[in-house]
Amino acid sequence: MGEEDYYLELCERPVQFEKANPVNCVFFDEANKQVFAVRSGGATGVVVKGPDDRNPISFRMDDKGEVKCIKFSLENKILAVQRTSKTVDFCNFIPDNSQLEYTQECKTKNANILGFCWTSSTEIVFITDQGIEFYQVLPEKRSLKLLKSHNLNVNWYMYCPESAVILLSTTVLENVLQPFHFRAGTMSKLPKFEIELPAAPKSTKPSLSERDIAMATIYGQLYVLFLRHHSRTSNSTGAEVVLYHLPREGACKKMHILKLNRTGKFALNVVDNLVVVHHQDTETSVIFDIKLRGEFDGSVTFHHPVLPARSIQPYQIPITGPAAVTSQSPVPCKLYSSSWIVFQPDIIISASQGYLWNLQVKLEPIVNLLPDKGRLMDFLLQRKECKMVILSVCSQMLSESDRASLPVIATVFDKLNHEYKKYLDAEQSYAMAVEAGQSRSSPLLKRPVRTQAVLDQSDVYTHVLSAFVEKKEMPHKFVIAVLMEYIRSLNQFQIAVQACLLLSLESFYPPAHQLSLDMLKRLSTANDEIVEVLLSKHQVLAALRFIRGIGGHDNISARKFLDAAKQTEDNMLFYTIFRFFEQRNQRLRGSPNFTPGEHCEEHVAFFKQIFGDQALMRPTTF
């Protein structure tokens, strides 16, 4: 399988830590995304590493027994360590504060602490088997103050740091989940909900395993993901992932079901708003996009994998240290290993190898794996780094070899312009609100963010249409049809057509030229950018034609154009551009020679070397 086929990969620079072994215990903190390597209970050192900080934090602690849980508060201000089922120890890492440890016992009698979560730099939640206790830590006083507590029987818990929601599993079947939300010193109880368990044989007691639940933010909304190993309907044997939407207000609702069509051991990640399901038995993964159209049955939407199952791209473990000097070859990493532990949203840890990776989606291979261009566009427009891939899809569908039909091209243009129009409307609403003075009265008013999915006319012109109209082999009618289709789409979304676009029509439809000049005189900001992009793509003649078309050719830098022409290694192109500027010099200054201020000496020398002195233009005397 070529590299162009893998659409998931592990990040290039993993966080490396000391492998787990009998002396070294490894812990992961989901809030700060930090790995703790604790040697001999901390007596021989603790090393803390996170994805962003390349400088690890190192310190020692007294060995007061086995460490059950260890985490820093946000911003690494206070360290909390749980060694017993009754207490948590604290140590300040704030300059000028006492470094002496202080301890907090859980308030509820006979309760055992299951774990704890920091919700801010000085607020912490203890989860016990009998409820939840929310504290404020006072580092200067080396004590804690109970803010709020709530009693209920707890089997296990889960924390989503991005949304500051803790989920508690209650009842005998463990399947009634009680969420709590934390914010600036307040704890609010959200409505509890029940996870429907699959029917089980009479002899076994069904229960909800913590392993089969994940919490993640997808498209800005919090979901609880439940991995249901056997479907409730008898005729379906494959496992499925059920997504429960957990809103800030109101009840939790079952919204989506992801059909896996296979059984076995699974693990879940969320990357770029996609749900990734790893399947250990086949060592492959699939991705789901809940924004793509699925099958709606009146209450939930069923989704199938967006693409065929593929393995994560093979990964070589980089060699560091003295071994890297020798000719030792990198070691292939065992993917889908049983020692892998997956954390939300996108983290994979191999404790036995000592690596923490972020999982990433590669968009380029997906272009060839998803033949339906409309669905491909729907998919790409939702991705974070989509701009260049979308532009390449547009160029590809207008190429001689992969030419798409006009209805498909029209669909793609409409999807692009739908996003473009949404952004233009949001910008306009924002501008009007600011003008009306609403920004002072409404702090929620924010300028719309321009994502990579917003492709405007100069993007489409410079990256797609300018090269397309230059192609000699394209049938004349097809070129006009494509340009007209784009203009039709802009009109349909009531987007004003810009001049650079009409300019590309000029050779096919002469009246478009004058129309575009009139528009460009009013709109000169995008022109420099268009010239820069065309030159960077070695479309030197197109850039020159564009600048001549708008009447700016007397002021452009000869050197910039000659540099670009020389880089193409096309001598005849260089000759054409050089001759153009000689004629410009003659017209403006009465001599074809370049002035010292233009810094074109090397280009003159190059011209002479290729074409000889006699090819230089002679000054015209009258």
Side-chain angles (χ1 to χ4, degrees):
M1 197 182 291
E3 196 167 303
E4 61 284 349
D5 229 13
Y6 300 103
Y7 50 79
L8 290 167
E9 62 182 352
L10 301 174
C11 65
E12 254 175 56
R13 295 179 60 192
V15 174
Q16 277 181 273
F17 54 89
E18 192 178 340
K19 298 172 186 175
N21 58 43
V23 186
N24 183 55
C25 292
V26 176
F27 298 89
F28 179 64
D29 168 18
E30 292 181 81
N32 289 321
K33 313 282 184 243
Q34 289 169 325
V35 178
F36 286 73
V38 181
R39 291 181 62 86
S40 335
T44 52
V46 178
V47 179
V48 187
K49 286 187 171 182
D52 304 322
D53 37 79
R54 289 290 157 198
N55 307 330
I57 303 168
S58 301
F59 55 91
R60 285 170 189 240
M61 307 186 295
D62 294 339
D63 185 357
K64 297 181 184 172
E66 185 198 345
V67 172
K68 293 178 184 293
C69 186
I70 181 167
K71 295 172 187 178
F72 269 117
S73 71
L74 304 186
E75 299 161 26
N76 302 335
K77 295 235 168 107
I78 305 163
L79 180 73
V81 186
Q82 183 195 347
R83 296 185 177 95
T84 74
S85 61
K86 302 290 179 193
T87 60
V88 177
D89 301 325
F90 295 87
C91 181
N92 297 334
F93 273 68
I94 307 166
D96 309 327
N97 272 44
S98 163
Q99 299 259 311
L100 288 168
E101 279 197 0
Y102 45 107
T103 300
Q104 178 65 45
E105 192 172 350
C106 67
K107 293 280 190 227
T108 317
K109 285 264 189 305
N110 306 325
N112 294 311
I113 299 175
L114 301 175
F116 62 84
C117 304
W118 286 99
T119 58
S120 78
S121 56
T122 54
E123 287 163 356
I124 193 166
V125 184
F126 289 8
I127 299 96
T128 74
D129 54 5
Q130 293 180 33
I132 189 166
E133 303 174 5
F134 185 34
Y135 292 94
Q136 182 175 12
V137 185
L138 308 164
E140 57 290 340
K141 292 186 177 171
R142 296 187 27 250
S143 67
L144 280 79
K145 173 182 157 198
L146 182 67
L147 298 174
K148 204 170 179 185
S149 63
H150 188 88
N151 291 348
L152 76 166
N153 289 334
V154 180
N155 304 303
W156 48 262
Y157 74 96
M158 191 162 280
Y159 181 47
C160 178
E162 286 76 19
S163 53
V165 170
I166 291 181
L167 208 55
L168 304 180
S169 153
T170 67
T171 71
V172 182
L173 298 181
E174 307 188 15
N175 67 327
V176 174
L177 300 181
Q178 173 62 65
F180 288 89
H181 177 237
F182 297 85
R183 187 162 152 207
T186 62
M187 170 172 108
S188 34
K189 186 180 174 190
L190 303 176
K192 65 182 178 188
F193 60 99
E194 186 177 329
I195 299 277
E196 295 172 30
L197 296 171
K202 292 267 189 299
S203 55
T204 61
K205 178 179 82 72
S207 72
L208 180 63
S209 161
E210 181 185 354
R211 268 204 321 266
D212 295 334
I213 291 282
M215 265 198 295
T217 302
I218 306 170
Y219 292 116
Q221 298 295 315
L222 180 61
Y223 287 90
V224 173
L225 291 78
F226 167 44
L227 185 56
R228 190 155 67 189
H229 288 282
H230 290 286
S231 168
R232 291 176 72 82
T233 51
S234 52
N235 58 358
S236 167
T237 51
E240 52 195 31
V241 179
V242 186
L243 268 65
Y244 292 83
H245 178 222
L246 193 56
R248 280 282 150 85
E249 309 283 320
C252 182
K253 185 172 183 293
K254 184 162 84 167
M255 299 277 285
H256 300 276
I257 292 182
L258 317 179
K259 304 294 284 177
L260 300 178
N261 302 322
R262 47 178 56 168
T263 56
K265 269 191 182 163
F266 299 96
L268 304 173
N269 276 130
V270 173
V271 185
D272 203 358
N273 291 313
L274 297 165
V275 179
V276 182
V277 184
H278 308 289
H279 187 230
Q280 204 186 352
D281 311 0
T282 56
E283 298 189 358
T284 59
S285 306
V286 285
I287 56 176
F288 293 87
D289 185 351
I290 60 170
K291 273 257 174 110
L292 288 185
R293 209 170 39 241
E295 300 146 23
F296 185 60
D297 74 351
S299 64
V300 295
T301 307
F302 292 84
H303 300 267
H304 294 279
V306 177
L307 301 164
R310 290 284 184 271
S311 161
I312 294 169
Q313 184 167 330
Y315 184 84
Q316 304 281 335
I317 289 181
I319 293 170
T320 51
V325 182
T326 64
S327 59
Q328 200 177 337
S329 55
V331 187
C333 168
K334 170 84 180 86
L335 300 178
Y336 302 91
S337 151
S338 54
S339 71
W340 274 18
I341 312 161
V342 169
F343 292 95
Q344 297 315 317
D346 60 350
I347 287 168
I348 294 174
I349 292 180
S350 171
S352 62
Q353 291 174 305
Y355 284 99
L356 178 153
W357 293 280
N358 292 85
L359 184 66
Q360 297 168 340
V361 173
K362 293 166 64 180
L363 296 181
E364 286 84 359
I366 294 173
V367 173
N368 298 322
L369 290 169
L370 201 54
D372 178 338
K373 287 276 193 293
R375 201 165 166 82
L376 174 64
M377 274 297 153
D378 288 339
F379 177 84
L380 291 176
L381 285 165
Q382 301 298 339
R383 309 284 72 84
K384 213 168 163 185
E385 304 284 329
C386 64
K387 183 172 177 174
M388 295 321 290
V389 182
I390 288 176
L391 288 166
S392 74
V393 170
C394 293
S395 296
Q396 190 186 334
M397 72 178 185
L398 299 179
S399 68
E400 190 59 30
S401 53
D402 282 328
R403 201 167 104 191
S405 68
L406 275 174
V408 168
I409 292 166
T411 301
V412 169
F413 285 158
D414 286 348
K415 287 182 189 294
L416 293 184
N417 288 329
H418 178 244
E419 289 294 322
Y420 180 22
K421 175 66 170 168
K422 266 198 314 200
Y423 173 73
L424 291 175
D425 286 351
E427 271 277 279
Q428 194 180 1
S429 305
Y430 172 78
M432 284 163 73
V434 168
E435 218 168 282
Q438 283 176 17
S439 50
R440 282 183 293 280
S441 58
S442 163
L444 293 172
L445 190 67
K446 284 198 177 76
R447 187 178 193 129
V449 177
R450 179 169 179 160
T451 66
Q452 287 206 8
V454 179
L455 276 80
D456 61 25
Q457 295 174 59
S458 69
D459 290 327
V460 175
Y461 173 70
T462 45
H463 294 277
V464 182
L465 297 177
S466 59
F468 169 65
V469 297
E470 294 284 308
K471 288 184 180 155
K472 300 284 179 281
E473 69 275 11
M474 277 295 164
H476 189 85
K477 277 184 179 167
F478 180 65
V479 176
I480 290 186
V482 167
L483 293 167
M484 287 306 180
E485 206 51 73
Y486 186 57
I487 289 170
R488 176 223 36 95
S489 178
L490 290 168
N491 284 332
Q492 187 176 316
F493 287 98
Q494 297 172 326
I495 302 169
V497 179
Q498 285 172 3
C500 58
L501 195 67
L502 289 165
L503 203 64
S504 61
L505 274 169
E506 173 212 340
S507 51
F508 300 98
Y509 181 59
H513 181 70
Q514 193 50 49
L515 197 56
S516 59
L517 285 188
D518 297 341
M519 288 175 78
L520 276 166
K521 288 194 180 87
R522 299 188 213 120
L523 211 152
S524 59
T525 46
N527 301 340
D528 296 344
E529 194 189 324
I530 288 171
V531 169
E532 290 301 326
V533 174
L534 290 172
L535 288 179
S536 72
K537 298 176 69 151
H538 306 306
Q539 290 176 256
V540 189
L541 275 178
L544 192 56
R545 199 173 296 138
F546 175 77
I547 211 81
R548 278 183 71 180
I550 59 170
H553 53 299
D554 285 356
N555 307 317
I556 52 174
S557 151
R559 183 181 168 187
K560 182 187 278 187
F561 275 77
L562 288 167
D563 280 346
K566 192 174 172 189
Q567 277 173 2
T568 64
E569 297 179 356
D570 177 344
N571 288 345
M572 284 323 291
L573 174 69
F574 183 81
Y575 181 92
T576 308
I577 302 294
F578 191 90
R579 182 64 86 225
F580 169 82
F581 283 107
E582 280 188 321
Q583 287 165 346
R584 182 185 80 166
N585 295 345
Q586 174 72 41
R587 181 167 49 79
L588 297 179
R589 294 196 293 269
S591 162
N593 300 336
F594 292 92
T595 62
E598 291 181 279
H599 306 294
C600 291
E601 295 80 10
E602 64 167 299
H603 295 302
V604 173
F606 180 71
F607 185 89
K608 286 185 191 169
Q609 179 195 327
I610 303 286
F611 303 106
D613 288 17
Q614 71 287 353
L616 287 169
M617 201 172 141
R618 298 278 167 261
T620 314
T621 47
F622 296 104

